[in-house]
Amino acid sequence: MWLKGELLEITSALYPDRRPMVVREWTDPVRLRDPAPVGHRFLFLLCADGDDRPTSPGFDDALNAFSAAGWTVQRRPSDHPGERGATAHREEFEVRVYEGSGRGIVTFTGWTPVVYTERHLRQPPFTPSTADGVLCDDCHGWGMCLECEGRPYSGGSGGYGRCLCAANNAGPGRCVECGGSGLLTAEETSWKRRQYGLPDTDGGDALRQMPPEGGHDSNTNAFISVSQRSCGCGEFRCFWRNILTEADDHLLSRFVGTCQGCAAQRSYTFTLPLRRLVAPADPPSPPPGPRSRRSPQVPGGA
């Protein structure tokens, strides 16, 4: 629970007037050959709602807060105008910091190293929530043959130090299905989406024709709603981006992301109330200075 407490302490000090929300807590299972997981990674998602006040803390302030708390911060370039991202590391813990476009939400996704229940194993390259893609169904993201678990194999005929099983006598180590990447290929993820009747898109937003939804009074509440929804394949894991724009007499908040279970493009749009900031009142005029104590001049006097 140290990571959760650290995230709450840093973000609450950064946003004292609008306490960040813990949006979701979950675990990523880590498997080998058996369906039962051998370990878990714990993850926490926090969110703070941005506003238009020039003095309101934002992305740079968040990174400074993590640096002051002893984290190593690394900014990451963004392919999307107006959005910014970075990662913060401390020992084996990691936090992904993201700020949406148009003074949208600021999110903090933190995760622990994988904790194993019995034997100690090395850390996997990634788990479902931290992978840039969909985990391979055969090796569960390890990228290695799970028969030899990436180790030299001394059994089999002759004992040539090769795995004679799933690695097709080319091991030890590499998973044949994904070529050692640990991720499904584009063709496999496309086939997986068709299994669930999802649009087989090669880009864009599969749900871009969905009309805007109402019923939320803030961008944070809209984000909480989105984070609890699952894809058509049943997976809820998705790194959400946010674009906040002004439209007529309301705000338009758009969330887009790629499902980490089947790579489907997901998108939701919400209408939010437009809260225009009142301009500060002019400062009061300074009080008049003290009057002169000199005697008044009498016209025509001596």
Side-chain angles (χ1 to χ4, degrees):
M1 298 303 291
W2 176 87
L3 176 61
K4 181 181 178 181
E6 182 81 352
L7 287 175
L8 284 172
E9 182 178 349
I10 293 174
T11 55
S12 296
L14 188 62
Y15 303 95
D17 58 336
R18 45 195 174 96
R19 182 177 175 84
M21 299 286 295
V22 178
V23 176
R24 188 158 193 161
E25 303 178 30
W26 71 99
T27 60
D28 277 358
V30 176
R31 296 183 175 88
L32 288 174
R33 283 167 293 179
D34 299 327
V38 295
H40 292 86
R41 165 172 280 156
F42 300 88
L43 299 101
F44 307 93
L45 173 61
L46 280 71
C47 168
D49 195 351
D51 60 35
D52 293 325
R53 290 177 295 177
T55 58
S56 177
F59 181 76
D60 292 329
D61 302 290
L63 299 191
N64 291 337
F66 275 94
S67 296
W71 292 70
T72 301
V73 174
Q74 180 180 3
R75 294 174 182 266
R76 296 192 175 278
S78 175
D79 298 329
H80 309 284
E83 301 174 46
R84 295 189 287 179
T87 55
H89 297 265
R90 185 168 180 179
E91 297 175 358
E92 293 183 290
F93 298 91
E94 184 169 345
V95 177
R96 180 168 53 197
V97 184
Y98 166 81
E99 182 179 53
S101 176
R103 295 295 292 176
I105 55 174
V106 182
T107 64
F108 307 88
T109 307
W111 57 82
T112 70
V114 173
V115 179
Y116 294 103
T117 53
E118 295 181 3
R119 56 177 175 157
H120 179 72
L121 300 171
R122 67 179 176 88
Q123 292 293 306
F126 31 66
T127 54
S129 298
T130 63
D132 188 18
V134 181
L135 296 191
C136 172
D137 293 329
D138 241 48
C139 67
H140 308 299
W142 284 95
M144 66 184 184
C145 167
L146 297 184
E147 292 295 330
C148 63
E149 297 182 8
R151 298 189 301 267
Y153 186 76
S154 58
S157 59
Y160 292 109
R162 290 178 172 228
C163 176
L164 306 180
C165 47
N168 196 25
N169 201 21
R174 191 170 64 176
C175 170
V176 175
E177 296 301 321
C178 65
S181 70
L183 302 176
L184 292 181
T185 64
E187 293 76 15
E188 289 170 326
T189 54
S190 176
W191 176 81
K192 196 170 187 177
R193 285 194 298 273
R194 289 196 297 271
Q195 276 190 308
Y196 295 101
L198 297 171
D200 187 20
T201 57
D202 57 358
D205 299 317
L207 303 179
R208 57 185 169 188
Q209 301 298 326
M210 295 291 288
E213 302 178 35
H216 295 292
D217 60 353
S218 70
N219 210 19
T220 296
N221 289 336
F223 181 60
I224 292 174
S225 174
V226 165
S227 300
Q228 306 306 316
R229 303 183 186 189
S230 297
C231 175
C233 71
E235 180 60 73
F236 71 88
R237 295 173 179 86
C238 185
F239 173 58
W240 292 106
R241 297 171 38 232
N242 180 232
I243 302 94
L244 188 65
T245 57
E246 187 174 325
D248 299 328
D249 60 344
H250 61 271
L251 293 174
L252 204 61
S253 178
R254 192 159 184 256
F255 294 92
V256 293
T258 302
C259 173
Q260 287 168 283
C262 69
Q265 298 297 309
R266 302 180 61 194
S267 176
Y268 300 96
T269 303
F270 299 88
T271 56
L272 306 175
L274 179 60
R275 296 185 292 271
R276 297 189 183 276
L277 298 175
V278 179
D282 294 333
S285 302
R291 295 184 178 180
S292 174
R293 297 180 180 273
R294 293 182 301 170
S295 300
Q297 297 292 325
V298 179

